[in-house]
């Protein structure tokens, strides 16, 4: 997010997504990763006729479910803290602030274990190349519009309004049980960013019949859902086949 879009909120981004869907013909298959998951679910709830099939991967739909560190942090940290971070970013939530927060969730892993692993593989060119590629991406998260970020923290992570059917967007209160298309829910067994319960809990909230919902738990953590060798080789090809079968 640049300075020029710091005041955009969730509704603005949802409207942009709907514009894209209409430009593509008005009916699509939506694959929502992480925060893109609740965005996709919102569009599917507001305009169910525009979505053939819905994939939610590592997506925090029921943010009160489970007992992960993100849930605890959202409920225990006052809004004033997040507002001050946005103010420090000139109206944006800077990626470097979020990166520091993610690392502090697992300090031993990021400040000790990673360095030990690097030392142990310092003579392995393949490991070093993979490590460099990953770090170049991980260490540079994008900046977000401050209003969008605060909107998400307050209404989704603190008040869980989407799961409760109280989130208002695009001129209407959104109800997840208005979604009736086939749905594929993918969670990471060791995901401490979006716990499995937050993703799989969507099964009881959607209006989709149970026999048209796939619930899958993959080994590994949050990033492994999108970048892990197992999920890339086994899970995502299966999701592609599922979309081909159901998303028509």
């Amino acid at each position: 997010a640049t300075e020029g879009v710091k005041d955009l909120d969730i509704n603005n981004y949802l409207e942009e997504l709907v514009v894209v869907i209409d430009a593509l013909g008005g009916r699509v298959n939506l694959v929502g990763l992480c925060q893109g998951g609740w965005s996709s679910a919102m569009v599917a709830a507001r305009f169910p006729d525009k979505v053939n099939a819905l994939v939610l991967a590592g997506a925090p739909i029921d943010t009160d479910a489970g007992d992960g560190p993100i849930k605890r942090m959202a409920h225990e940290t006052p809004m004033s803290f997040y507002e001050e971070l946005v103010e420090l970013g000139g109206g944006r939530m800077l990626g470097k602030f979020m990166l520091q927060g993610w690392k502090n969730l697992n300090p031993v892993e990021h400040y000790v274990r990673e360095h030990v692993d690097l030392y142990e593989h310092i003579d392995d060119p393949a490991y070093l190349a993979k490590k460099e590629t990953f770090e170049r991406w991980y260490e540079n998260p994008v900046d977000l519009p401050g209003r969008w970020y605060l909107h998400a923290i307050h209404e989704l992570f603190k008040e869980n309004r989407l799961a409760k059917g109280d989130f208002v967007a695009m001129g209407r209160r959104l109800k997840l049980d208005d979604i009736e298309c086939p749905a594929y829910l993918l969670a990471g067994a060791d995901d401490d960013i979006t716990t499995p319960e937050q993703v799989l809990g969507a099964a009881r909230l959607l209006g989709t019949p149970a026999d048209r919902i796939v619930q899958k738990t993959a080994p590994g953590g949050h990033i492994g859902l999108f970048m892990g060798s197992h999920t890339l080789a086994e899970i995502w090809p299966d999701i592609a086949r599922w979309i081909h079968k159901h998303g028509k």
Side-chain angles (χ1 to χ4, degrees), residues 135-188:
E135 292 297 325
R136 190 184 303 120
W137 169 77
Y138 183 80
E139 294 287 334
N140 294 282
V142 298
D143 302 330
L144 299 174
R147 183 168 293 180
W148 181 97
Y149 183 83
L150 295 176
H151 196 186
I153 290 293
H154 181 255
E155 298 205 8
L156 298 178
F157 288 90
K158 281 186 172 293
E159 299 190 348
N160 200 23
R161 290 193 184 185
L162 180 60
K164 294 176 180 177
D166 291 331
F167 190 89
V168 176
M170 297 177 286
R172 184 179 299 177
R173 193 177 303 277
L174 303 181
K175 304 290 186 181
L176 291 176
D177 60 6
D178 286 336
I179 300 174
E180 297 182 351
C181 66
Y184 194 116
L185 311 178
L186 176 63

Side-chain angles (χ1 to χ4, degrees), residues 88-216:
L88 285 173
R92 295 175 294 163
M93 171 53 75
L94 300 183
K96 64 181 181 180
F97 294 161
M98 293 184 288
L99 177 64
Q100 194 67 46
W102 297 333
K103 288 186 174 182
N104 289 342
L105 291 175
N106 294 288
V108 174
E109 173 69 22
H110 290 288
Y111 300 127
V112 179
R113 187 68 236 172
E114 285 185 1
H115 298 287
V116 173
D117 288 344
L118 178 61
Y119 177 78
E120 292 176 344
H121 295 86
I122 199 67
D123 295 322
D124 184 346
Y127 176 89
L128 295 179
K130 182 178 180 181
K131 179 72 172 176
E132 181 181 4
T133 299
F134 176 79
E135 292 297 325
R136 190 184 303 120
W137 169 77
Y138 183 80
E139 294 287 334
N140 294 282
V142 298
D143 302 330
L144 299 174
R147 183 168 293 180
W148 181 97
Y149 183 83
L150 295 176
H151 196 186
I153 290 293
H154 181 255
E155 298 205 8
L156 298 178
F157 288 90
K158 281 186 172 293
E159 299 190 348
N160 200 23
R161 290 193 184 185
L162 180 60
K164 294 176 180 177
D166 291 331
F167 190 89
V168 176
M170 297 177 286
R172 184 179 299 177
R173 193 177 303 277
L174 303 181
K175 304 290 186 181
L176 291 176
D177 60 6
D178 286 336
I179 300 174
E180 297 182 351
C181 66
Y184 194 116
L185 311 178
L186 176 63
D190 300 316
D191 191 341
D192 59 358
I193 301 297
T194 302
T195 59
E197 296 90 344
Q198 293 186 348
V199 187
L200 303 180
R204 60 179 173 75
L205 301 174
L206 303 181
T208 304
D211 61 355
R212 301 182 76 198
I213 299 177
V214 176
Q215 299 185 57
K216 185 78 172 183

Side-chain angles (χ1 to χ4, degrees), residues 62-76:
D62 183 357
T63 59
D64 281 343
D67 188 33
I70 295 294
K71 171 189 170 181
R72 295 195 298 271
M73 182 173 68
H75 285 282
E76 295 171 2

Side-chain angles (χ1 to χ4, degrees), residues 27-45:
R27 190 166 172 83
V28 298
N29 304 307
L30 283 181
V31 180
L33 312 182
C34 191
Q35 308 305 321
W38 52 255
S39 300
S40 297
M42 287 177 179
V43 170

